[in-house]
Amino acid sequence: MKRSLFLIATVFALAACNNIPDKNMVDIQGIDSSLKPGDNFFMYVNRKWYDTAQIPPSQSGVGAYMFMNYPQRLRLQGILDSVSKSSNADGSIEQKLGDFYASGMDTNTINKRGYDPVKPILARIDSITNVASLIQFVANEAKAYNNSVIGFYVGADNKNSSLNIAHLYQTGIGLPDRDYYFNTDPSTLSIQQAYKTYLSKLFELTGIDTATATKNAGIVYNIDKQLAASHKTNIELRDINANYNKMAVAALAKRQPDIGWPNVLDELGAKTDSIDVAQPAYYDKLNTALKTIPINDWKIYLKAYSLNNYADILSKPFTDAAFEFNKVLSGQAVQKARGEIIANVIDQSLGEALGQLYVKKYFSEDAKKRALELVNNLQKAFAARVDKLDWMSDSTKEKAKEKLFAITKKIGYPDKWRDYSNVTTAKNKYFENVVAAASNNYQYQLAKLNKAVDKSEWFTTPSTVTAYNNPSANEIVFPAAILQPPYFDNNADDALNYGGIGMVIGHEMTHTFDDQGAQFDKDGNVKNWWTKEDYDKFKAKTQQVIDLYNTFTVLDTVHIKGAMTVGENTADISGVAVAYDAFKMTKEGHDTTKIGGFTPDQRFFISVARIWRVKMKDEFMRLWANNNPHSLPMWRVNGPLMNNPHFYDAFNVQPGDKMYLPEKDRIYIW
């Protein structure tokens, strides 16, 4: 099933190392000494690798960061291949995972079925006669995550973080973002055309003639564009308060009568008298569109969305069509290996079941212990930096430190694993297995409605190379998969580990105090804890971040969007600074002994550059720059280091160097 290209979760890392092992065990190679460190430090450290690295045809990039999930999926594939060939007790996680994997690998059966699995869904669409039955279909399908015009989920209330409530968000478009429908540059126009071609192909694969399929694609695109016009931009979505609009269901029903919210919520199984509508303008537009767009056009739209949603789990012609569209978006040359695809689907569908087997095979409890030690060290360093801030009053400093030390730290894997006993899988029914897991995930989410938030819950899998900060729970989370090189290495000295995983821990910690996180109190509620003067100074500093990153060019006329990436850039700048201070608390941090020709301070900054060692296709870089709240890897290195005085000292950066910023222009927030 389709997943969002960019999940609302930050991709990072962590681990700890207090004792310096044999310093000769980890050497730094590949430095391009023909480059000045102060001109482009990312390339100084990585260019030899960058110029020779080959992006696998099945990938859109290679290296560290999110692309480490490629070898991770190969590990998961190995686990799944093993359990699929074993004799497992019925109902065990090994049986569920093994049969799920076997069903996905059985392409002969999948191809023979064609699009038979979705024919009942298409038939239900054909039976729609009016707006009420249309909305009933939409709500019913959402329970299996066949989403179209209604975006519903259950999560913490921003103003009462101990309680889970119902939320609605803008949706209903097939391209990654609203701007893809309105921008007219050549790259966007080619994506628009590829999307229309894809929609047309989906209809043709169900037996519709080419002319009608093309006409249908135009109808779908037109509805998309109407809905997209009501969407907030990626930058507008960063405004916490503007995207929180809790209202009574009765009031919402009166405001948008044609949607029929009481019936929608009843169909969703959501018993509630209030709901947070993050982007009301979208649902205002939907309410109008339900009246102005003919029912037959809506039926065509719903067929396209259902086919698109399930294309990846249908027969080869459908997966090929979906890939051809994705190729234009991401630049990926060939489809991923089948085993990698199915491993990824299962990780998303039954992630904590698979995570149990992953942790058992690959995760070191020593890494978990050392990671916690490093997190604690950075927490102390962060507190010391707060004490030294020259722009913040003492009263706000005390509240900042209260929030800092109230952070919950989750490392490795959950304390309690999810129960998947309600999920049944079979070896010859891949489509049904995916839908069963999706339906179970929906019911798992729904069961939380109007109940206390479970503070132990994780929102990523242990096998994913990622980490995140959840402001509504005031927590930072580091899965097992991130505790490996280049982020953390037991054989490395403290300089490399603090510059690697330490920088990422500092980044996640800083999210507690970025432009969004700073609006949450220590308990995870959106509540002001600042003096007005302090908050005005803070906003002025974040504006500096926006202004600086707006100047960075990605490709030709494509720039980093400073306002969209300000939270991540703030976390990068301060993450490096906090990690450096924590490094100076270690024995090696006070030493000057060179290892491999580099001082400890130089090795620290080299490690910062190594953890973002990534090479991407141009198409994927454009997609990233337009949609991802993180800056691209090169600027996750050069941007923070331009603002770090210790980097200037370590590499003798001087006026005239391309990365040089006058001291008065350097950004110092946390």
Side-chain angles (χ1 to χ4, degrees), residues 336-372:
K336 299 180 187 299
R338 187 69 183 177
E340 182 190 351
I341 292 171
I342 305 307
N344 187 51
V345 169
I346 295 175
D347 193 36
Q348 293 179 347
S349 301
L350 301 175
E352 288 195 18
L354 182 55
Q356 292 179 57
L357 304 187
Y358 173 83
V359 166
K360 187 181 299 183
K361 184 168 185 178
Y362 290 110
F363 186 57
S364 162
E365 288 299 317
D366 181 59
K368 182 173 183 175
K369 178 182 176 182
R370 293 162 79 92
L372 180 58

Side-chain angles (χ1 to χ4, degrees), residues 92-273:
S92 66
I93 62 171
E94 289 82 2
Q95 177 266 313
K96 294 176 190 292
L97 293 169
D99 287 359
F100 199 150
Y101 182 74
S103 73
M105 296 300 291
D106 183 6
T107 53
N108 287 334
T109 298
I110 293 169
N111 289 332
K112 285 178 183 177
R113 296 182 76 186
Y115 74 102
D116 285 352
V118 297
K119 285 182 178 178
I121 297 173
L122 301 180
R124 290 200 297 274
I125 295 172
D126 282 332
S127 69
I128 292 172
T129 57
N130 52 34
V131 170
S133 58
L134 184 153
I135 289 296
Q136 182 182 29
F137 170 85
V138 167
N140 185 267
E141 285 298 303
K143 292 186 287 188
Y145 286 110
N146 179 18
N147 293 311
S148 53
V149 294
I150 292 177
F152 171 84
Y153 75 99
V154 175
D157 185 339
N158 275 357
K159 300 292 179 71
N160 180 14
S161 63
S162 63
L163 181 69
N164 284 310
I165 64 169
H167 299 265
L168 292 168
Y169 59 91
Q170 65 187 26
T171 185
I173 62 175
L175 291 175
D177 171 64
R178 71 174 307 283
D179 291 347
Y180 282 84
Y181 293 90
F182 305 107
N183 289 346
T184 57
D185 59 280
S187 175
T188 303
L189 291 176
S190 68
I191 291 171
Q192 291 172 4
Q193 185 55 53
Y195 178 52
K196 293 174 186 176
T197 300
Y198 170 53
L199 292 172
S200 180
K201 184 65 175 179
L202 290 176
F203 285 111
E204 289 184 52
L205 291 174
T206 65
I208 294 176
D209 65 86
T210 301
T212 304
T214 301
K215 179 182 177 182
N216 287 352
I219 289 170
V220 175
Y221 189 85
N222 180 57
I223 295 175
D224 271 15
K225 191 170 183 178
Q226 289 185 54
L227 297 178
S230 70
H231 273 220
K232 289 190 175 184
T233 66
N234 284 329
I235 293 172
E236 290 170 333
L237 292 174
R238 294 196 61 79
D239 188 328
I240 296 293
N241 285 303
N243 289 281
Y244 178 88
N245 302 281
K246 190 175 179 180
M247 60 185 73
V249 171
L252 186 62
K254 185 176 181 180
R255 174 172 172 166
Q256 298 155 357
D258 289 281
I259 295 177
W261 284 112
N263 292 333
V264 170
L265 294 172
D266 185 61
E267 191 70 37
L268 289 169
K271 296 181 180 180
T272 183
D273 58 7

Side-chain angles (χ1 to χ4, degrees), residues 326-463:
N326 182 66
K327 182 163 65 174
V328 177
L329 275 177
S330 69
Q332 180 182 327
V334 302
Q335 294 186 51
K336 299 180 187 299
R338 187 69 183 177
E340 182 190 351
I341 292 171
I342 305 307
N344 187 51
V345 169
I346 295 175
D347 193 36
Q348 293 179 347
S349 301
L350 301 175
E352 288 195 18
L354 182 55
Q356 292 179 57
L357 304 187
Y358 173 83
V359 166
K360 187 181 299 183
K361 184 168 185 178
Y362 290 110
F363 186 57
S364 162
E365 288 299 317
D366 181 59
K368 182 173 183 175
K369 178 182 176 182
R370 293 162 79 92
L372 180 58
E373 292 173 352
L374 188 53
V375 172
N376 290 338
N377 284 349
L378 266 84
Q379 199 172 33
K380 294 174 186 175
F382 203 117
R385 292 183 66 84
V386 170
D387 283 333
K388 297 175 184 176
L389 293 177
D390 60 4
W391 59 270
M392 181 181 282
S393 67
D394 289 342
S395 62
T396 306
K397 285 180 181 179
E398 288 305 310
K399 290 180 179 177
K401 288 191 293 183
E402 284 178 12
K403 186 180 181 186
L404 173 67
F405 286 109
I407 291 174
T408 298
K409 309 152 194 172
K410 296 179 178 178
I411 297 170
Y413 53 88
D415 292 333
K416 59 179 181 181
W417 296 101
R418 265 189 65 178
D419 176 16
Y420 292 100
S421 59
N422 290 333
V423 181
T424 300
T425 62
K427 285 189 175 181
N428 61 346
K429 293 189 175 181
Y430 179 54
F431 182 91
E432 288 80 1
N433 290 340
V434 174
V435 172
S439 299
N440 179 71
N441 285 335
Y442 177 82
Q443 293 301 326
Y444 173 80
Q445 180 186 172
L446 185 65
K448 298 184 289 186
L449 180 59
N450 295 326
K451 294 181 180 177
V453 170
D454 180 358
K455 298 288 188 180
S456 69
E457 185 175 9
W458 281 51
F459 298 102
T460 189
T461 67
S463 53

Side-chain angles (χ1 to χ4, degrees), residues 316-621:
K316 189 174 186 297
F318 287 89
T319 60
D320 287 349
F323 171 71
E324 288 302 314
F325 171 50
N326 182 66
K327 182 163 65 174
V328 177
L329 275 177
S330 69
Q332 180 182 327
V334 302
Q335 294 186 51
K336 299 180 187 299
R338 187 69 183 177
E340 182 190 351
I341 292 171
I342 305 307
N344 187 51
V345 169
I346 295 175
D347 193 36
Q348 293 179 347
S349 301
L350 301 175
E352 288 195 18
L354 182 55
Q356 292 179 57
L357 304 187
Y358 173 83
V359 166
K360 187 181 299 183
K361 184 168 185 178
Y362 290 110
F363 186 57
S364 162
E365 288 299 317
D366 181 59
K368 182 173 183 175
K369 178 182 176 182
R370 293 162 79 92
L372 180 58
E373 292 173 352
L374 188 53
V375 172
N376 290 338
N377 284 349
L378 266 84
Q379 199 172 33
K380 294 174 186 175
F382 203 117
R385 292 183 66 84
V386 170
D387 283 333
K388 297 175 184 176
L389 293 177
D390 60 4
W391 59 270
M392 181 181 282
S393 67
D394 289 342
S395 62
T396 306
K397 285 180 181 179
E398 288 305 310
K399 290 180 179 177
K401 288 191 293 183
E402 284 178 12
K403 186 180 181 186
L404 173 67
F405 286 109
I407 291 174
T408 298
K409 309 152 194 172
K410 296 179 178 178
I411 297 170
Y413 53 88
D415 292 333
K416 59 179 181 181
W417 296 101
R418 265 189 65 178
D419 176 16
Y420 292 100
S421 59
N422 290 333
V423 181
T424 300
T425 62
K427 285 189 175 181
N428 61 346
K429 293 189 175 181
Y430 179 54
F431 182 91
E432 288 80 1
N433 290 340
V434 174
V435 172
S439 299
N440 179 71
N441 285 335
Y442 177 82
Q443 293 301 326
Y444 173 80
Q445 180 186 172
L446 185 65
K448 298 184 289 186
L449 180 59
N450 295 326
K451 294 181 180 177
V453 170
D454 180 358
K455 298 288 188 180
S456 69
E457 185 175 9
W458 281 51
F459 298 102
T460 189
T461 67
S463 53
T464 303
V465 182
T466 187
Y468 65 87
N469 179 300
N470 178 7
S472 66
N474 194 19
E475 65 181 7
I476 51 178
V477 184
F478 306 94
I482 199 65
L483 301 180
Q484 59 178 303
Y487 296 100
F488 171 68
D489 187 344
N490 265 336
N491 294 321
D493 54 290
D494 279 342
L496 294 188
N497 279 322
Y498 275 84
I501 200 68
M503 179 270 179
V504 179
I505 295 171
H507 173 109
E508 294 300 341
M509 211 167 276
T510 303
H511 272 309
T512 306
F513 304 99
D514 69 11
D515 66 307
Q516 292 182 318
Q519 298 179 58
F520 292 78
D521 67 12
K522 66 182 180 63
D523 298 315
N525 296 310
V526 175
K527 184 179 179 181
N528 182 47
W529 49 274
W530 298 73
T531 66
K532 183 181 184 305
E533 184 180 5
D534 287 344
Y535 195 66
D536 287 345
K537 291 178 181 178
F538 172 70
K539 287 195 294 184
K541 287 183 173 292
T542 59
Q543 186 60 50
Q544 286 181 284
V545 178
I546 292 171
D547 293 342
L548 174 63
Y549 281 77
N550 276 337
T551 66
F552 298 150
T553 303
V554 177
L555 289 167
D556 46 71
T557 60
V558 179
H559 286 251
I560 288 177
K561 297 180 179 180
M564 185 177 76
T565 59
V566 59
E568 301 297 338
N569 298 333
T570 299
D572 282 344
I573 292 169
S574 295
V576 172
V578 175
Y580 180 85
D581 283 3
F583 168 57
K584 302 309 282 187
M585 294 163 56
T586 69
K587 180 179 178 181
E588 188 188 359
H590 293 282
D591 197 1
T592 57
T593 304
K594 290 186 177 182
I595 306 172
F598 296 100
T599 67
D601 276 18
Q602 289 174 329
R603 287 171 68 84
F604 171 90
F605 290 110
I606 288 170
S607 186
V608 171
R610 289 199 315 166
I611 65 173
W612 306 120
R613 177 177 285 179
V614 169
K615 183 176 183 178
M616 301 179 191
K617 293 286 189 71
D618 284 357
E619 296 90 338
F620 194 73
M621 290 178 71

